[in-house]
Amino acid sequence: MGLFGTSDKKIIAELCKKSEDISKDITNEIDELLNELKSDYYENNKVVNEFNDFAKELQSKLSPEDASKLLEFTSRLSKVKRCAKKGVEAMRELSRDQRKATRETLREYQEYLYV
């Protein structure tokens, strides 16, 4: 005789299905957001380099004070680029972790169903 009766297994199977559906919804949402974020990042990735090139051209035409401000701005813009890249990487890790958690949860449910 098994550890769980038929009604218990039915309840566990329903919980498994509900958990799977919720996890898939979350995974899909994360993947959509990741794709949007990656798309936006790669679309605008070259802007910082183009701006830096433009700023270098302008530096000789500006006063030393304005050139210094422009250099500071390009530095801050590079930091924004690094933050955006870290955001894409973090979202990628979140997506991977969500898929792993979903697989692990479903595997645990299956263990209970077949005990």
Side-chain angles (χ1 to χ4, degrees):
M1 181 170 177
L3 197 59
F4 297 109
T6 305
S7 63
D8 293 331
K9 285 187 178 186
K10 184 178 179 183
I11 292 170
I12 292 172
E14 289 172 6
L15 287 173
C16 177
K17 179 65 177 150
K18 185 175 182 179
S19 178
E20 182 178 13
D21 291 342
I22 290 170
S23 293
K24 283 182 179 180
D25 287 345
I26 292 170
T27 299
N28 289 339
E29 190 170 334
I30 289 171
D31 288 343
E32 286 175 18
L33 291 171
L34 174 60
N35 288 334
E36 287 177 26
L37 189 61
K38 282 184 353 186
S39 174
D40 289 346
Y41 175 76
Y42 292 121
E43 181 180 316
N44 295 299
N45 189 25
K46 296 178 183 176
V47 171
V48 173
N49 294 334
E50 291 172 3
F51 183 79
N52 286 338
D53 292 342
F54 179 66
K56 285 178 186 175
E57 289 176 25
L58 284 180
Q59 269 184 321
S60 62
K61 299 174 185 175
L62 298 174
S63 69
E65 183 180 297
D66 288 340
S68 176
K69 287 179 183 179
L70 184 61
L71 184 63
E72 180 184 333
F73 185 74
T74 57
S75 173
R76 290 177 25 212
L77 193 58
S78 293
K79 289 179 183 179
V80 170
K81 180 182 174 181
R82 280 194 299 275
C83 288
K85 185 176 182 180
K86 287 179 182 180
V88 171
E89 291 170 358
M91 191 63 113
R92 187 179 299 125
E93 288 179 25
L94 178 64
S95 177
R96 186 195 69 228
D97 291 347
Q98 172 62 26
R99 284 191 303 273
K100 283 173 57 176
T102 297
R103 285 191 305 267
E104 186 176 319
T105 300
L106 293 176
R107 189 176 22 245
E108 289 176 5
Y109 273 116
Q110 294 302 320
E111 286 177 15
Y112 284 113
L113 283 173
Y114 298 111
V115 170

